[in-house]
Amino acid sequence: MIDEYIKALRAGEKEYKARLAAGEYPYLPALDDICPDNDVLPQRNVGLQEIPVDLIAGTKTCARQNSFAPGFLPLLDTDTEFAAKWSNLYQAQLSEGFNSPIKAYEYLHKFYVQEGNKRVSVSRFLEMPTIMGDVIRIIPTAEVMSENPVYAEFLDFYRVAPIYDIVCEEQGSYASIAELLGRSISADAEPWPDELVKELK
């Protein structure tokens, strides 16, 4: 599958050069850079979830970020161990699918990968819509939450309808969705029926 790795590598190099030319950071963002105190903030185990690949924004630590362009496409040469493992994962996904979930942290409705960066890379290359992941949510500080009222509303929505796919940008949108369905996202609202959540997804 080295031919597919070469295609992914060329796409990654193209993105890398375009980001450099635009004066932008050419590697994956790292949560440890975006939120340096993430390890001491409160965490909530969300559990096994279907993660929308488009919402995976970066990696958890700085250690892996230089291996990928911002879109998770690879940047390391074809004769590396990295390339061989990426190719093996590509073949595994085509033949049987990934056999284990990635581990990711969610912060402000974006995901940062702790384990499984290459699986995400293969998923991006194959344009897969979702990937299974074991998710831990980082709870932002009160100050950050006040600056992101839409995310605060998303958490109310997620409590009753655990869906990551719906991303709203205007405050009040999640409440409006609930209202259209004859439901509520208020603090005393009961979780919505599983069938309704499936239909909404």
Side-chain angles (χ1 to χ4, degrees), residues 93-129:
Q93 174 57 24
L94 291 185
S95 60
E96 59 189 33
F98 299 135
N99 56 20
S100 60
I102 67 170
K103 180 177 179 179
Y105 288 83
E106 182 244 311
Y107 181 69
L108 295 176
H109 213 150
K110 298 287 186 181
F111 295 89
Y112 300 86
V113 182
Q114 174 74 42
E115 297 174 8
N117 289 285
K118 286 187 286 295
R119 275 170 281 167
V120 173
S121 179
V122 169
S123 299
R124 278 280 176 88
F125 181 70
L126 290 172
E127 299 182 346
M128 293 167 51

Side-chain angles (χ1 to χ4, degrees), residues 3 5 10 24 31 41 43 56-57 63 68 70 77 80-82 86 98 102 111 114 117 120 124 129 134-135 164 178:
D3 289 346
Y5 183 80
R10 286 173 178 167
E24 300 173 357
L31 180 60
L41 289 174
Q43 299 183 359
I56 302 177
F68 303 93
D77 289 340
T80 60
E81 182 182 5
F82 177 98
W86 191 100
F98 299 135
I102 67 170
F111 295 89
Q114 174 74 42
N117 289 285
V120 173
R124 278 280 176 88
D134 192 10
V135 177
Y164 272 113

Side-chain angles (χ1 to χ4, degrees), residues 13-157:
E13 291 173 337
K14 182 178 180 181
E15 183 183 17
Y16 172 87
K17 292 174 182 177
R19 292 294 183 108
L20 277 182
E24 300 173 357
Y25 189 65
Y27 299 110
L28 273 183
L31 180 60
D32 288 350
D33 290 334
I34 295 167
C35 180
D37 58 348
N38 70 82
D39 288 335
V40 298
L41 289 174
Q43 299 183 359
R44 183 169 300 155
N45 184 14
V46 179
L48 197 63
Q49 298 291 320
E50 210 172 37
I51 301 175
V53 174
D54 287 346
L55 293 182
I56 302 177
T59 186
K60 168 65 169 62
T61 68
C62 301
R64 290 291 186 184
Q65 63 186 150
N66 291 3
S67 300
F68 303 93
F72 264 98
L73 293 170
L75 291 174
L76 300 186
D77 289 340
T78 56
D79 59 353
T80 60
E81 182 182 5
F82 177 98
K85 289 182 176 179
W86 191 100
S87 298
N88 289 338
L89 284 169
Y90 179 91
Q91 181 60 49
Q93 174 57 24
L94 291 185
S95 60
E96 59 189 33
F98 299 135
N99 56 20
S100 60
I102 67 170
K103 180 177 179 179
Y105 288 83
E106 182 244 311
Y107 181 69
L108 295 176
H109 213 150
K110 298 287 186 181
F111 295 89
Y112 300 86
V113 182
Q114 174 74 42
E115 297 174 8
N117 289 285
K118 286 187 286 295
R119 275 170 281 167
V120 173
S121 179
V122 169
S123 299
R124 278 280 176 88
F125 181 70
L126 290 172
E127 299 182 346
M128 293 167 51
T130 62
I131 187 171
M132 293 304 298
D134 192 10
V135 177
I136 296 175
R137 176 177 292 146
I138 304 292
I139 307 300
T141 63
E143 180 182 4
V144 171
M145 197 74 85
S146 67
E147 295 170 352
N148 294 271
V150 178
Y151 181 71
E153 187 179 343
F154 163 75
L155 293 182
D156 292 336
F157 173 81

